[in-house]
Every structure is written in C-alpha cells, then in structure tokens.
Amino acid sequence: MTDLEKLSQLASEEAVLKALSDAVGDRLKAVRGDMQAALDGARGVKQVAATLPDGTEVAKISLTDPKPEAVVTDPEAFLAWVRENAATEVVRRVEVVTEVRPAYRAALLAQMTAAGRPEVCDTETGVVDTVPGVDVKATRARGHSVRFAKAGKEAVAAAWQAGLLTTVVLPELTAEPIRCSRCQGEDGPFTDAGLCEACARPIP
C-alpha cells in the first residue's frame, strides 16, 4: 500500500467515524436531556433499570443530587469579616487589590461546607461565628449517572449486531429494515420497545 493509499484509507475511516460520532453524540445529548427531565419530574424515583428489548438488564440510571457547598456570594462582606477576624490572612495585590489569602479562603469554605451553614468555630475559644457574604448551596445542577452491569456493554453490542436495537438507537444508521424485536416482522408502526402493533397488543 502506497503512502497516498494509506492516507486515503485513514481519511475515509476518520470521516465515517466522525459522522457516526456526531450523530450518536447529538442523539445522546437529546436523550440525556429527556432522561433528566423525566427523572426530575418523577417523584420519589432515584434509580431506573435500563433493559434491552428482550428484557436483559444492562445498566442502571441513577439520579445524582449535588451536595451543597459554601460559596462566597458577597466578596466585600466576606473580605470585611476576614479583615476583622484574621487580618493576617488578607493580602494586597498590585497595591489596589485586597483579597483573602486563597488557602485561608479555601479552608474557611471547606469548614462551612462541612458544617452545612455559613459558620466557623474558633478552635481555641469554641465561639461560633456567622460569616457574612457566604451561602451554602448546590453549585451544580442535578444530574444522573449510567452504571453498566458486569456484562452490560457486551450485551448491548451483541444486541446491536443482532439487529435488535434498530428501532431504539438511530435506525437511520443501519441499512437493515426496521423489524419487530419479537416476530422480526417489518410491518410498523413500532412501539418504544421495538414491538410491532400485533406483538404489543395484550394477549387475550
């Protein structure tokens, strides 16, 4: 294979993979957004199983609630408190900028995060002081995680190769006709589970 042929082959492979990656990535973002909205709207639901059309569980989707953290919401009020209570932890930069030393700021915020309140305790006197300009609140939006079962990814790959996911994930990426996941018929429409109307109909 000449250098030009190798370059052409790699270029084709990269272009195809990029196109597929973009298509899958866009669909993943949309589905992830829909999933988060559904989790946020479902009261009391913290986890849901992810299954293949044949019922095989391949992963669990779990709601994640970010823990509240102490954050400075009023820098001036925070600086004034530190200047009064720990003047040595205040530094000047370029003579016109005064700020709390980063290490001391981090230590104070960590202590307030652990307490769950904008308060710090003097280890020598035991006095608890409320620190102005600080709130303890969630700094990230709620999210969710996907944890695969031990052989979950392999099961997904096998289902994809068997053509069982054509109605579930980007059917436009496969040249195979869309088929019912139970009877393999091509007569749609199909349900979200990949079943044709006949197979989805309750058994009398």
Side-chain angles (χ1 to χ4, degrees), residues 85-97:
N85 292 273
T88 58
E89 299 298 337
V90 175
V91 296
R92 288 180 178 274
R93 287 191 297 109
V94 199
E95 297 184 356
V96 295
V97 179

Side-chain angles (χ1 to χ4, degrees), residues 145-165:
S145 63
V146 180
R147 290 188 176 87
F148 282 94
K150 187 174 183 180
K153 291 184 178 181
E154 290 79 1
V156 170
W160 175 266
Q161 292 170 352
L164 300 179
L165 303 182

Side-chain angles (χ1 to χ4, degrees), residues 69-81:
E69 297 179 13
V71 293
V72 175
T73 55
D74 185 340
E76 293 300 321
F78 180 65
L79 174 61
W81 182 89

Side-chain angles (χ1 to χ4, degrees), residues 110-132:
Q111 186 178 155
M112 288 182 275
T113 294
R117 299 180 299 278
E119 298 176 348
V120 293
C121 178
D122 189 313
T123 56
E124 294 183 0
T125 65
V127 174
V128 176
D129 202 357
T130 298
V131 181

